[in-house]
Structure formats: C-alpha cells, structure tokens
Amino acid sequence: MSRDIHVKICGLSTAETLAAAVAVGARYVGFVFFAKSPRNVGLPLAVTLAASVPEGVCKVALTVNADDATLDRLIDKVPLDMLQLHGSETPDRVAAIRTRYGLPVMKAVGIADESDLPALLDYQQVADQILVDAKPPKHADLPGGNGLAFDWRLIAGRRWPVPWMLAGGLTPDSVAEAIELTGARQVDVSSGVESAPGVKDPALIRSFLAATSARAL
C-alpha cells in the first residue's frame, strides 16, 4: 500500500505560488516572518495569503527567536495552524511558547555532524514536530533556506517519538534520494523550488511534488 509523502513548501510570498503549492498537494505551506530573509512577509500580506489556504492544508509561521510581543501580534492577526521555531530557542522556550499559544510547535534543529544529534532528543520532549535541517554556516544571516544539505546518512534509520520532517538543500533532483536514504515521510523545501532567492517557481514546485510522489511506496 502506498503512503503519501507530506510536503511543506516554505517561504511562500505570492498568491500565484501559494495556489501552485496547494494545487499539487502540499500538506503544509510556510510563511516566513524574519526581516533578514528574502522570503519575509509582512502581516498584511500574510493575512491575505493565509485566508486563501483551504481547510486541510497546514498554515505554518516560521519565526526566529521571536519574543512574546512579536508572537502576540502575529497570532492575533494571522490565522495559523502551527508555529515553526527556527532560531536558537531553548527547550524551555519551546515549551513556554507551546503552552502560551496552544498551537502545535515545530522546532528546527540544525545538523552538521554526529555531535548535533543529541539536540534532537532534547527537543522531541517539548515540540510537536521536529524539523531536521542543515546547520547554517557560522555567521550566516539566515538560520535556514541556505540551499545546504547535510550528510543524510547521519539520520538513516533513526526514528523519534514525534513526527519529523527532513529539510536542507532539497531539490526536485535530490528529494527522492533523500527520502530513500533517510526514510523521511515528510519533507520541507524552500530555496530548492526558487528561480532566485525568495522567488518561488510554480514549475519547480510541481516538479518537487512529482518527485516525492514517485517515492511514496
């Protein structure tokens, strides 16, 4: 029996690309709220985009070390289904955000080598989902969306008690191999479906979904 691969398209910022992601079956759509990112969206645009997302597609807000005041404004204005914490939030901070807002929380954990793996165990105790991503280079402006992959063999065969999602440098050409090697049932893509930084390409979105569907065995 086939099992679907759940796909998250992150960093959507136009009605056209959002519609393209939904049309081809993305289960999650991500909006970035981080000023340094070329994918950053303001609250007014996010409200408009989120309102067009059909029921059953999870609307995710990506934030980076956001304080309570920032999160208060965001959640008050934008109809969201999940918060993605992509900064250096501690396990205690993740737990506090989850309690304060009553929304599912996904915590991104950057991986470069085996020494980074224990953090996955720490966050699985406080987050609803884990995003296993490539660790950004030192002094990088962006905590994610850098188009970098990590050695997928580091997590081959590993499982955690909460749902997890694979990210980091995935493209239409590489995602099938990544799924086969890691056993991931959820994948996240941002720069891998862009024609330029922050510019999503509907054709690449379709190609990415097609590649994941081919691996849903």
Side-chain angles (χ1 to χ4, degrees):
M1 180 180 294
S2 67
R3 293 183 296 159
D4 289 343
I5 303 296
H6 292 186
V7 176
K8 175 172 172 281
I9 308 294
C10 195
L12 293 160
S13 59
T14 69
E16 178 192 15
T17 54
L18 175 59
V22 170
V24 293
R27 297 295 188 93
Y28 303 80
V29 291
F31 307 116
V32 174
F33 299 89
F34 183 55
K36 292 183 178 181
S37 172
R39 305 164 188 98
N40 183 56
V41 293
L43 290 181
L45 176 57
V47 170
T48 299
L49 293 174
S52 70
V53 178
E55 188 173 349
V57 178
C58 184
K59 302 180 293 294
V60 184
L62 185 158
T63 65
V64 179
N65 299 324
D67 59 19
D68 285 350
T70 299
L71 292 174
D72 286 349
R73 289 192 297 273
L74 173 60
I75 291 170
D76 182 59
K77 299 292 185 183
V78 185
L80 296 168
D81 301 307
M82 179 178 287
L83 293 172
Q84 177 179 330
L85 308 181
H86 217 107
S88 57
E89 300 90 355
T90 65
D92 285 346
R93 177 60 176 157
V94 173
I97 289 173
R98 188 169 179 263
T99 298
R100 180 180 177 91
Y101 298 105
L103 286 173
V105 172
M106 177 188 294
K107 178 66 181 86
V109 179
I111 303 296
D113 54 46
E114 286 191 9
S115 67
D116 298 313
L117 297 177
L120 294 167
L121 302 179
D122 295 333
Y123 286 106
Q124 72 179 10
Q125 301 178 51
V126 292
D128 296 278
Q129 294 204 39
I130 299 295
L131 182 75
V132 186
D133 199 359
K135 178 179 282 189
K138 287 184 178 181
H139 310 302
D141 287 334
L142 303 179
N146 293 296
L148 301 176
F150 64 95
D151 184 351
W152 298 320
R153 292 172 295 182
L154 289 169
I155 62 167
R158 294 177 184 265
R159 296 295 179 267
W160 297 276
V162 296
W164 65 281
M165 186 175 291
L166 179 66
L170 298 177
T171 69
D173 293 329
S174 69
V175 67
E177 180 186 0
I179 291 169
E180 183 172 3
L181 188 57
T182 65
R185 307 309 301 177
Q186 300 194 114
V187 293
D188 178 289
V189 65
S190 184
S191 61
V193 290
E194 292 180 345
S195 57
V199 182
K200 293 291 185 290
D201 185 323
L204 290 175
I205 290 173
R206 290 191 289 270
S207 295
F208 189 89
L209 267 291
T212 63
S213 298
R215 296 306 309 167
L217 303 176

